[in-house]
Amino acid sequence: MRAVRFPALVLLGALAGVACGSTPAAPTPPPTPPPVTPDPPAPTPDPEPEPVPAPVLAKTRILAFGDSLTNGEDTPVDAFVLALAGPGVDRSYPFKLQALLRARYYDQTIDVFNGGVDGERAADAGSHLRDFIAETQPQVIIIMHGVNDLIAGVPVGQVVDALEDLVKEAKARGLDVLLSTLPPQNPNGTKGLELGDEIEDYNFEIRRFAADKGAVPVDVYPQITLDMIGPDGLHLTQAGNQRLAEIYFDTLRSLYEQAPGTLRRR
């Protein structure tokens, strides 16, 4: 029996097929993600601004002295108790003045004392003035007085003399004096006041002698309009008392306000 012999060519083809056989395809790598851009850092918040220090007022105890135009026409039986209690009723100008001062000079304690005595005449006010000063120990006094004397028919010259005595009394006790003119009256009010000429003459004298007596004149007369006068023609409305408070506030500010940290007693 003869062995089967494969041609050499066939054997080489077989070997070549084994050597060149196809291999499995390599897996496709996943796509490379785009680079991640980090979020920008959060902005640093601006620092809180430093609180603005309040200006200061060199004088912090103020006595408002006068009659019912000062006390707000709502005086307790004992007007002396009213002054010791502070600025009085909320419709009065001393109450409104204290609110204005405390709002601006909030790092200080500002006290306004209401020394208004309903119906009092300037000629009779000396003893009250001394008592109020002794008990409240003010540094500044606002004097608006004399209308009841004029209503009673006292001559203007005599009322001026009484007012000068009050100024001297306050100055002798070391107080700074703000001397106020009287506001206008409305002759069409229920009181039927006819004081136009007397009020103007009296205010003229106040403007004339205030500085000579060492007082600071505060002219409220041209700044109070008739619509700020109440129905009786004499007493002020809420708006009138607010305006008075603003006038005195501006005067005190111009005289005694100082920059923060520079308080100098006057």
Side-chain angles (χ1 to χ4, degrees):
M1 178 175 182
R2 290 190 308 178
V4 179
R5 302 182 70 176
F6 294 96
L9 187 58
V10 173
L11 179 58
L12 289 175
L15 291 174
V18 172
C20 297
S22 61
T23 58
T28 303
T32 303
V36 177
T37 303
D39 293 334
T44 303
D46 293 335
E48 290 291 329
E50 291 293 326
V52 178
V56 294
L57 199 66
K59 308 284 186 176
T60 60
R61 296 176 66 83
I62 299 138
L63 173 62
F65 188 72
D67 44 44
S68 59
L69 292 177
T70 295
N71 69 38
E73 202 186 1
D74 192 13
T75 311
V77 175
D78 187 351
F80 193 60
V81 173
L82 176 66
L84 295 182
V89 295
D90 60 5
R91 66 171 285 111
S92 68
Y93 93 72
F95 185 97
K96 298 177 186 298
L97 175 60
Q98 179 173 276
L100 291 171
L101 291 170
R102 288 187 172 181
R104 180 162 180 81
Y105 307 105
Y106 50 81
D107 284 337
Q108 296 175 274
T109 299
I110 310 292
D111 291 312
V112 178
F113 302 97
N114 191 326
V117 181
D118 187 21
E120 182 175 70
R121 297 185 187 183
D124 303 326
S127 62
H128 273 143
L129 178 64
R130 290 186 288 273
D131 290 342
F132 284 134
I133 291 173
E135 291 300 326
T136 62
Q137 294 296 302
Q139 299 161 298
V140 180
I141 184 170
I142 301 170
I143 300 178
M144 181 174 63
H145 222 318
V147 71
N148 289 316
D149 305 69
L150 297 176
I151 290 173
V154 179
V156 168
Q158 292 183 30
V159 187
V160 171
D161 290 342
L163 190 65
E164 289 189 28
D165 289 341
L166 295 177
V167 173
K168 290 177 184 176
E169 192 84 47
K171 294 293 294 182
R173 284 161 171 72
L175 275 64
D176 290 359
V177 179
L178 307 187
L179 189 59
S180 177
T181 58
L182 293 176
Q185 275 68 57
N186 187 348
N188 297 319
T190 57
K191 287 184 177 292
L193 300 175
E194 295 289 347
L195 294 177
D197 292 341
E198 289 84 352
I199 292 290
E200 292 194 20
D201 291 346
Y202 183 61
N203 286 340
F204 175 83
E205 293 298 323
I206 290 174
R207 299 182 194 102
R208 180 186 61 79
F209 82 78
D212 291 341
K213 302 300 178 183
V216 176
V218 184
D219 196 2
V220 306
Y221 181 84
Q223 303 183 67
I224 302 295
T225 55
L226 289 185
D227 62 323
M228 298 177 184
I229 308 299
D232 65 359
L234 173 64
H235 297 97
L236 300 182
T237 62
Q238 288 271 12
N241 281 317
Q242 181 66 36
R243 184 70 190 113
L244 267 187
E246 292 166 355
I247 295 167
Y248 298 135
F249 169 79
D250 289 341
T251 303
L252 291 166
R253 182 179 173 184
S254 67
L255 290 172
Y256 304 118
E257 180 172 296
Q258 299 172 9
T262 61
L263 181 60
R264 300 182 304 276
R265 298 292 178 187
R266 298 186 183 184

